[in-house]
């Protein structure tokens, strides 16, 4: 990945399957230093990776995490690797009659509002000169144009909202950081807790291990340039329709 060890990298959601794999991949690349692994649970990481607490539904914790990261100097990469598809009281809706306002609010809080608040506090830390990246995990089902099967109202809509947030952010960021890249990333079908109830057999073709998905995503990020800002890209580098 093209960058410089003069800037740090931040992974938010580092306790999840993809998040932890992204931290490991970035550490192995040597492209950034230091690397910050941010999550609610703060799992242990190898020496040299800095772990801090963050909660996407608590803006004060986001601000505190940003302040800790800022002490290390300019940031070259921020990846928001969080997301919710299901939890107690929350499940993808198969039909309109299943809509629940509380569940929808919970999904939007993590999938759209949380990343927006991360941007609010972390974008000011991005390097003002040279290439820097702000990325968030999106999903192909957030594509309005590509929606041909319906269902999953809250999840689809929250990811569509995230994509619009990223697009809007890319326009604003370009005014102060002309070399910055803001993108969404579709990781594919990954054997993780998020997808477990809905994915096929983990050994089926097209289902990635977290480390495989992370490697694909880091490769995609490494190949992007400023002309790609504001878009969403799949794990194979293909642009996802809006």
């Amino acid at each position: 990945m093209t960058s410089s060890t003069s800037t740090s990298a931040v992974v938010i959601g580092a306790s999840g399957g993809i998040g932890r794999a992204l931290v490991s991949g970035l550490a192995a690349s040597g492209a950034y230093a230091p690397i910050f692994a941010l999550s609610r649970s703060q799992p242990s990481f190898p020496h040299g990776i800095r772990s801090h607490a963050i909660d996407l539904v608590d803006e004060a914790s986001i601000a505190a995490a940003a302040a800790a990261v800022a002490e290390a100097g300019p940031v070259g990469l921020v990846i928001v690797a969080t997301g919710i598809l299901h939890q107690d009281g929350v499940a993808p809706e198969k039909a309109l009659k299943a809509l629940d306002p509380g569940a929808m609010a919970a999904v939007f809080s993590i999938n759209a509002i949380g990343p927006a608040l991360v941007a609010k506090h972390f974008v000011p830390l991005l390097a003002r000169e040279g290439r820097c990246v702000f990325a968030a995990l999106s999903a192909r089902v957030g594509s309005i144009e590509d929606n041909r099967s319906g269902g999953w109202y809250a999840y689809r809509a929250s990811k569509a909202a995230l994509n619009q947030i990223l697009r809007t952010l890319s326009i604003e960021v370009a005014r102060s950081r002309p070399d910055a890249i803001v993108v969404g990333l579709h990781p594919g079908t990954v054997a993780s807790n998020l997808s477990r109830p809905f994915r096929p057999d983990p050994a089926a073709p097209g289902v990635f291990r977290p480390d495989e998905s992370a490697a694909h995503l880091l490769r995609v990020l490494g190949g992007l340039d400023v002309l790609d800002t504001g878009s969403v890209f799949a794990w194979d580098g293909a642009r996802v329709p809006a």
Side-chain angles (χ1 to χ4, degrees):
M1 179 175 295
T2 303
S3 187
S4 166
T5 53
S6 64
T7 59
S8 63
V10 180
V11 177
I12 296 165
S15 62
I18 298 177
R20 182 181 281 274
L22 286 167
V23 171
S24 297
L26 288 168
S29 76
Y32 298 91
I35 295 170
F36 291 91
L38 310 184
S39 65
R40 285 191 302 173
S41 61
Q42 289 187 267
S44 60
F45 288 94
H47 179 72
I49 295 174
R50 305 186 189 183
S51 179
H52 289 276
I54 195 169
D55 186 341
L56 262 64
V57 300
D58 179 0
E59 186 176 1
S61 82
I62 297 173
V69 170
E71 295 179 0
V75 176
L77 173 66
V78 176
I79 305 179
V80 183
T82 56
I84 177 177
L85 175 59
H86 63 91
Q87 64 178 25
D88 290 344
V90 176
E93 312 91 347
K94 295 182 179 179
L96 194 62
K97 64 183 180 181
L99 291 182
D100 176 83
M104 292 189 76
V107 172
F108 269 81
S109 179
I110 296 297
N111 290 351
I113 299 172
L117 293 176
V118 168
K120 175 182 175 181
H121 292 280
F122 280 82
V123 163
L125 309 184
L126 292 176
R128 287 189 171 270
E129 296 182 357
R131 187 182 189 272
C132 57
V133 179
F134 184 96
L137 293 192
S138 186
R140 185 176 294 279
V141 296
S143 168
I144 295 173
E145 181 180 339
D146 196 49
N147 183 359
R148 294 177 175 82
S149 59
W152 292 31
Y153 283 88
Y155 189 72
R156 286 185 186 276
S158 67
K159 291 299 187 178
L162 171 62
N163 295 348
Q164 182 67 280
I165 288 167
L166 294 172
R167 175 64 177 175
T168 304
L169 176 64
S170 72
I171 295 169
E172 179 175 352
V173 169
R175 297 170 184 151
S176 59
R177 293 166 175 80
D179 296 319
I181 301 168
V182 177
V183 291
L185 297 171
H186 168 55
T189 302
V190 182
S192 67
N193 289 334
L194 182 143
S195 64
R196 180 171 290 121
F198 312 100
R199 66 172 186 250
D201 185 330
V207 179
F208 301 123
R209 299 189 312 270
D211 62 302
E212 291 175 322
S213 178
H216 289 314
L217 296 179
L218 292 176
R219 184 163 53 249
V220 169
L221 286 177
L224 299 178
D225 62 33
V226 70
L227 296 177
D228 297 313
T229 192
S231 296
V232 179
F233 292 89
W235 61 271
D236 59 357
R239 195 182 299 264
V240 177

